[in-house]
Structure formats: C-alpha cells, structure tokens
C-alpha cells in the first residue's frame, strides 16, 4: 500500500521558537514514519513582509539544518527550499485567478499583519494563503501538520481546491486533492512567556516572550526567571483564569515527555519558586541534543547543500506533474509541441 502524503513548512524568519517546535516540527517527526513527507523552508513566504536580503539565505539554510536537528529522517522525508521549486510560484498565479479577493480579505492573519504594516502592506501579504495553498496542493498532500493558527489557511486551501475541481475537473476525476489539517491536541497553541493570552510569535518585539530552539542555557534561565506568572500556589492545567500557568505547565509536560496526569500530579502543590528551576532544567535538557546536532550539521555545509539539492530535485518531480495536470485542466497550450 502506498503511504499517504504529508506536506508542511516553516518560514525562515529569525529563529525557530518553542511554538514552532511543539506546534509543528515535533509532530512532523513523530508521524513521519507513517507517511511520505515533504517539508519545505518557505522562503517565498518570508518576503511577504519587509525582509533583509543579507540574512534571508543564511536563515533558510539554518532552518533546513534545524529540521534535520529536530529529527527529520531523510529515509521517509524530503527537505527542500520552496523557491528552488519554481512550480510553487507558477501554481500560485494560476490559483490567484480563481480565488475570490474577498476570501483573502477575510483571513485573520492578513488582517493582524496588515495593521502592523500600515500603508506598506504588499499584495504578497494578501496573497500569502494562495501561495500556501499552492505549496500543499502541488504535492497532493493528504495531511498538513500545523499549529492552530494555520487552521483558517488550511480551510481556504480546501476551498480553493474544491472550487478548482468544480470549475475545471471532470466528474469523478478531481484535479486537486483536498487535504486534511493535522493539528495536535497539545502544543497547537504555545503562548507568549510575557502574556499567556497571546501566542508565542517570531514577530513579538520582546525576546523575553519566546524561547528559541538555539537559546543558550543562560538565555533560557533568564527568560523563564522573568516570565509572567500569577500569585497562586500550585499549578493546574486548563484554568481559564490562569493562562500563564496552563501554558508553562503544558511546556513542562511536553518537554519532559510526561503525561498530562503525571505533570499535573507532580506540580499540583509547587510554588513558582520551585517550578521555574524545574522548567528551566527540563527545557535546557530537551533542547541540548537538538542544539548539538544543529552544530554538527552546520559544520558540514557540503552535506546540507546536498540534502537541499536532492530535496529540490525530488520535490520538483512531484510538483511539476501536478502543475501539468492543472495547466491541462485550464486549457493551456502544451509547451512540448
Ligand atoms: P510559520 O513559520 O509562521 O509557523 C510555522 C509553524 O509553527 C506553528 N506555530 C505555532 N504552533 C503553536 N504555537 C505557536 N505559538 C505557534 N507559532 C507558530 C504554525 O502553525 C506553523 O505550523 N503559513 C505557515 C508556513 C507555511 C505552510 C505551508 C505550512 C507555508 N506554506 C504549507 C503548512 C503547509 C506558517 O505559519 O509559518
């Protein structure tokens, strides 16, 4: 039986934080053996907001190294850079022409990011979800493992695929596969360390709001020491009055590998003075193997280049075949005449 296909990606903007790791990449690693996986570093998405050309390439490389360091296994997964597979841009254009503008104007992330950009909002930012739909649909992905914040973009992807099939597919023979989101129950929404009601985000101006996967033990210690807590003694999950407590206890549970019940029992009588050092220790220990592996990979640039080269070749075969199918359905004159 052929395996189902998974596709997902992360933007190479700055560092990878615990939200990206626990909400997405760790789940990729956990499920990868069951699927045929494509994981891309979505560099085209990274230029939808103002970016620095001097760091884009390096950040892209670092993100690919982090995928490997987190445990992506090349036996069952392909790692590639989005801009290396030209079909992503081309399918985006084709899908643009069948996507109603008002579907994009409704997107929550667009509205949130647009506010921050003021007059400088690019067409690319509005179009971000169509590029994401192209990423997914090119690979006939069955499953897309992401954090909670991407749910709306996945619903849009499904709507675009359904609309395309409806307009241009033959009965019983859809052109595009409609994907299912894969959002884990825990870790799908890791919150900021400075405000338990806001999600942990790369764009938060405060470094204290997030723990990055490459933070040193001292930085981790400092951030956890300064993180927001509450005056209550004893830690509990799921108390709506205590968002910070729920978030920090969830981080502890996920990073320690304990079950929810075990973590709840262990921490039910703890004060913050006892819990914070425990969380610090656990975080440092959980990230150490990833950081060591990352260094090893970054020290072997030739290896990393070869992974990305091979990845782009493999990805292009699948992507180009879908693109041909789409162009045929749209009635384009074949270029092989
Ligand atoms: P990005 O880089 O913003 O986020 C990458 C992944 O991290 C998840 N995530 C979180 N999960 C839990 N808690 C958080 N605080 C948190 N912050 C981020 C995101 O849900 C995401 O899974 N648009 C995508 C990138 C993308 C993509 C794709 C994903 C482009 N094309 C195709 C899947 C399939 C994004 O949010 O990137």
């Amino acid at each position: 039986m052929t395996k189902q296909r998974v596709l997902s990606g992360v933007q190479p903007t700055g560092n990878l934080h615990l939200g990206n790791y626990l909400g997405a990449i760790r789940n990729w690693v956990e499920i990868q053996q069951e699927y045929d996986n494509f994981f891309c570093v979505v560099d085209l998405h990274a230029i939808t907001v103002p970016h620095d050309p001097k760091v884009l390439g390096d950040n892209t490389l670092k993100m690919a190294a982090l995928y490997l360091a987190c445990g992506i296994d090349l036996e069952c997964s392909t790692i590639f850079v989005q801009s290396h597979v030209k079909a992503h841009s081309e399918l985006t254009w084709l899908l643009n022409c069948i996507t109603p503008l008002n579907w994009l104007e409704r997107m929550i992330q667009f509205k949130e990011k647009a506010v921050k950009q003021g007059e400088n909002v690019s067409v690319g930012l509005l179009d971000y979800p169509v590029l994401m739909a192209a990423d997914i649909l090119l690979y006939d992905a069955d499953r897309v493992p992401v954090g909670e914040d991407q749910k709306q973009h996945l619903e849009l992807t499904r709507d675009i695929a359904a609309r395309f099939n409806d307009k241009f597919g033959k009965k019983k023979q859809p052109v595009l596969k409609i994907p299912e989101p894969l959002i884990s129950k825990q870790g799908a929404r890791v919150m900021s360390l400075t405000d338990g009601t806001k999600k942990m985000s790369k764009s938060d101006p405060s470094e204290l709001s997030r723990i990055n996967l490459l933070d040193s033990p001292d930085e981790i210690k400092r951030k956890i020491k300064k993180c927001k807590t509450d005056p209550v003694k004893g830690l509990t999950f799921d108390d709506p009055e205590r968002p910070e407590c729920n978030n920090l206890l969830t981080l502890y549970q996920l990073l320690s590998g304990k079950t929810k019940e075990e973590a709840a029992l262990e921490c039910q009588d703890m004060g913050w003075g006892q819990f914070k050092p425990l969380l610090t220790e656990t975080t440092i220990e959980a990230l150490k193997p990833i950081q060591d592996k990352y260094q090893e990979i970054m020290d072997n640039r030739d290896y990393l280049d070869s992974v990305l080269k091979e990845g782009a070749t493999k990805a292009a075969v699948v992507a180009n075949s879908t693109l041909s199918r789409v162009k045929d359905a749209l009635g384009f004159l074949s270029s092989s005449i």
Side-chain angles (χ1 to χ4, degrees):
M1 218 177 76
T2 53
K3 285 180 174 175
Q4 285 201 329
R5 177 88 45 77
V6 153
L7 178 125
S8 199
V10 175
Q11 297 185 66
T13 34
N15 244 314
L16 203 67
H17 56 64
L18 279 183
N20 303 131
Y21 178 57
L22 298 172
I25 299 183
R26 203 168 90 140
N27 302 327
W28 304 356
V29 172
E30 265 167 24
I31 60 164
Q32 66 182 332
Q33 304 297 338
E34 290 167 52
Y35 295 94
D36 172 26
N37 313 277
F38 286 85
F39 297 120
C40 56
V41 181
V42 293
D43 54 349
L44 295 170
H45 279 101
I47 66 162
T48 55
V49 291
H51 83 287
D52 181 356
K54 288 196 207 77
V55 297
L56 179 64
D58 274 354
N59 282 345
T60 302
L61 207 61
K62 285 180 187 165
M63 193 58 72
L66 273 168
Y67 284 7
L68 288 166
C70 288
I72 295 300
D73 177 358
L74 297 173
E75 286 290 317
C76 53
S77 304
T78 302
I79 297 177
F80 68 101
V81 176
Q82 185 190 34
S83 68
H84 292 178
V85 181
K86 310 253 176 301
H88 290 248
S89 308
E90 191 169 349
L91 183 61
T92 302
W93 176 256
L94 303 177
L95 297 179
N96 275 339
C97 298
I98 66 132
T99 305
L101 180 60
N102 65 54
W103 285 11
L104 299 180
E105 286 168 335
R106 288 206 296 264
M107 292 293 111
I108 295 164
Q109 274 204 353
F110 170 69
K111 288 196 236 171
E112 283 173 0
K113 288 189 183 174
V115 171
K116 292 185 196 155
Q117 306 288 317
E119 297 262 290
N120 293 320
V121 180
S122 68
V123 175
L125 188 65
L126 180 71
D127 206 25
Y128 178 115
V130 182
L131 177 58
M132 180 162 162
D135 297 341
I136 297 166
L137 299 174
L138 276 175
Y139 297 87
D140 289 329
D142 298 280
R143 297 296 195 120
V144 185
V146 283
E148 180 77 38
D149 62 342
Q150 294 304 306
K151 206 168 163 196
Q152 196 187 30
H153 289 160
L154 283 175
E155 276 157 14
L156 182 87
T157 301
R158 291 167 56 86
D159 288 346
I160 291 174
R163 187 176 169 93
F164 190 99
N165 290 338
D166 202 36
K167 278 178 173 266
F168 303 105
K170 296 202 182 76
K171 261 202 188 129
K172 294 199 181 139
Q173 221 189 350
V175 183
L176 296 169
K177 163 138 334 146
I178 300 191
E180 294 287 338
L182 198 62
I183 299 174
S184 71
K185 281 203 190 76
Q186 278 199 303
R189 203 168 161 77
V190 173
M191 309 310 275
S192 156
L193 294 186
T194 47
D195 180 350
T197 62
K198 263 175 40 191
K199 76 167 187 174
M200 186 177 283
S201 154
K202 289 174 198 160
S203 60
D204 192 313
S206 169
E207 266 299 320
L208 288 177
S209 68
R210 59 186 163 262
I211 292 178
N212 299 314
L213 258 58
L214 298 177
D215 279 351
S216 68
D218 279 349
E219 280 169 311
I220 294 170
K221 200 169 168 187
R222 187 171 71 94
K223 288 177 179 177
I224 294 179
K225 202 167 167 199
K226 297 213 162 177
C227 76
K228 187 171 174 204
T229 55
D230 57 30
V232 185
K233 185 165 187 277
L235 278 79
T236 48
F237 281 107
D238 305 322
D239 181 343
E241 303 290 309
R242 304 183 67 196
E244 284 81 19
C245 177
N246 182 57
N247 188 43
L248 295 170
L249 191 53
T250 303
L251 287 182
Y252 172 64
Q253 187 227 316
L254 294 175
L255 293 170
S256 65
K258 297 192 172 163
T259 63
K260 199 170 171 181
E261 291 70 31
E262 284 167 343
L265 193 66
E266 184 184 355
C267 304
Q268 64 184 355
D269 299 320
M270 274 188 197
W272 291 108
Q274 195 183 354
F275 177 76
K276 280 189 172 187
L278 177 67
L279 179 60
T280 305
E281 188 95 345
T282 306
T283 308
I284 293 171
E285 240 171 70
L287 298 188
K288 171 112 180 35
I290 296 175
Q291 297 181 347
D292 290 349
K293 186 90 197 289
Y294 171 80
Q295 258 331 314
E296 215 179 278
I297 295 161
M298 286 304 281
D299 289 342
N300 193 348
R301 174 71 196 261
D302 287 349
Y303 168 69
L304 195 52
D305 286 349
S306 73
V307 168
L308 294 179
K309 197 164 172 209
E310 230 170 86
T313 308
K314 263 179 85 180
V317 172
V318 180
N320 290 339
S321 143
T322 309
L323 185 63
S324 298
R325 220 165 64 217
V326 168
K327 289 176 82 171
D328 275 354
L330 288 172
F332 282 95
L333 179 66
S334 164
S335 60
S336 60
I337 51 167

